Amino acid sequence: MLPLRRTSLLIHRLPLARFSSNARENVTQSATQHDSDTHFGFQTVKESDKWKKVHKVFEEVAASYDLMNDAMSMGIHRVWKDIFMERLSPVGNGIRLLDMAGGTGDIAFRYMKYLQKQTTPDRKPSHVTVCDINQNMLDVGQQRWEKLNLPTAGDTIEWVCADAEKLPFEDSSFSVYTIAFGIRNCTHIDKVLSEAHRVLKPGGRFMCLEFSHVNNEYLKWVYDQYSFQVIPPMGQILANQWQPYQYLVESIRKFPQQNEFKAMIQNAGFKCVEYENLTFGVVAIHSGFKL
């Protein structure tokens, strides 16, 4: 465990290694038992291989992840995440938020800043768990958090390396589950949604921010040209990485359409499911409740 800073920050170092090992073992064992074909971008691969390939992608891009997000989206990803937090509008005391695939901390940090603006008397402290299957991404997030040095007024944050398809948390543990730009990289989206439903308390909210599909044909052509002709070369120039960013743009095209993903969330047991397109459907926010 790291020494406590002036803030009330809690970062659990020891559990990270344990969860990291278990996460990889769980993925390998599950995939080996039912080794069907799946997609890795436009490639067809075995399920047992996909998580390794995705893991390698994010190991390679972790150090330059935030820089590339700014470059690829021309900074618009920050606006999308701000809107995401506005739609979440976290209220109440003692909220427990699980930010899945949240490695570098963008959503968690926005939430912690939101909490510090709350002036409700006798507000109970909230807790954020940043969870990611990739330790490299979590390491970047922890370093960013230490540099941020944000006063937390008793609110706490922890970092856990674990698999979204088999979370190491008890049933009904969290008030809110968020996942931003991560679920499309998971091998079994249905299992991720099922786990999200399991760990949420009754009345808890699921929110997902993810790249989606542009319906306007002209805008779709422009978007495709930018995605395939600009983003991979940009990755090569700025981060000396072409293939990871080729995968990222391909993975977006393989992700379900907005209505199809909405149906998957409903099938996982969530109610009042709806979605909102941002920037003509380049990204979408999906929301549902465990009732």
Side-chain angles (χ1 to χ4, degrees), residues 43 57 60 236 241-248:
Q43 300 178 40
V57 164
E60 292 175 346
Q236 182 66 43
Q241 299 286 347
W242 181 295
Q243 289 302 322
Y245 292 97
Q246 182 73 29
Y247 158 74
L248 291 176

Side-chain angles (χ1 to χ4, degrees), residues 110-127:
R110 280 171 170 77
Y111 177 68
M112 294 296 278
K113 290 177 181 177
Y114 178 94
L115 289 176
Q116 307 322 306
K117 296 178 182 177
Q118 305 306 302
T119 57
T120 305
D122 302 321
R123 179 177 72 84
K124 295 180 181 178
S126 293
H127 179 77

Side-chain angles (χ1 to χ4, degrees), residues 40 52-62 244 247-248:
F40 174 74
K52 299 173 187 177
K53 290 179 176 292
V54 171
H55 196 274
K56 185 173 185 293
V57 164
F58 286 94
E59 278 187 334
E60 292 175 346
V61 304
Y247 158 74
L248 291 176

Side-chain angles (χ1 to χ4, degrees), residues 109-253:
F109 299 163
R110 280 171 170 77
Y111 177 68
M112 294 296 278
K113 290 177 181 177
Y114 178 94
L115 289 176
Q116 307 322 306
K117 296 178 182 177
Q118 305 306 302
T119 57
T120 305
D122 302 321
R123 179 177 72 84
K124 295 180 181 178
S126 293
H127 179 77
V128 179
T129 300
V130 183
C131 190
D132 202 295
I133 198 172
N134 193 296
Q135 184 63 52
N136 292 55
M137 299 289 282
L138 289 167
D139 289 343
V140 172
Q142 291 184 67
Q143 293 166 9
R144 289 183 64 201
W145 175 251
E146 291 170 7
K147 291 179 180 178
L148 189 60
N149 197 24
L150 180 72
T152 60
D155 300 307
T156 54
I157 185 170
E158 66 176 339
W159 309 79
V160 176
C161 189
D163 177 16
E165 296 182 12
K166 194 169 184 180
L167 294 171
F169 307 118
E170 295 182 359
D171 296 356
S172 305
S173 299
F174 296 93
S175 316
V176 182
Y177 178 113
T178 58
I179 182 166
F181 303 120
I183 200 167
R184 77 180 188 282
N185 298 307
C186 299
T187 304
H188 305 100
I189 295 175
D190 56 339
K191 291 184 180 179
V192 175
L193 295 172
S194 177
E195 278 291 271
H197 191 272
R198 179 184 68 80
V199 301
L200 277 172
K201 300 176 181 179
R205 189 175 189 183
F206 167 86
M207 287 196 68
C208 175
L209 175 66
E210 187 55 87
F211 286 108
S212 200
H213 298 273
V214 177
N215 293 322
N216 181 283
E217 287 302 318
Y218 174 73
L219 292 176
K220 181 178 182 298
W221 182 86
V222 174
Y223 178 47
D224 285 345
Q225 295 303 306
Y226 176 77
S227 296
F228 289 98
Q229 303 302 323
V230 176
I231 290 179
M234 188 184 297
Q236 182 66 43
I237 294 169
L238 296 180
N240 198 31
Q241 299 286 347
W242 181 295
Q243 289 302 322
Y245 292 97
Q246 182 73 29
Y247 158 74
L248 291 176
V249 297
E250 290 178 358
S251 68
I252 295 168
R253 273 65 185 180

Side-chain angles (χ1 to χ4, degrees), residues 80-109:
W80 294 332
K81 291 169 183 174
D82 288 341
I83 295 173
F84 184 64
M85 189 55 58
E86 288 177 6
R87 299 297 184 267
L88 176 59
S89 299
V91 294
N93 289 333
I95 291 177
R96 290 181 55 83
L97 183 146
L98 173 60
D99 183 32
M100 192 64 225
T104 59
D106 267 4
I107 299 301
F109 299 163

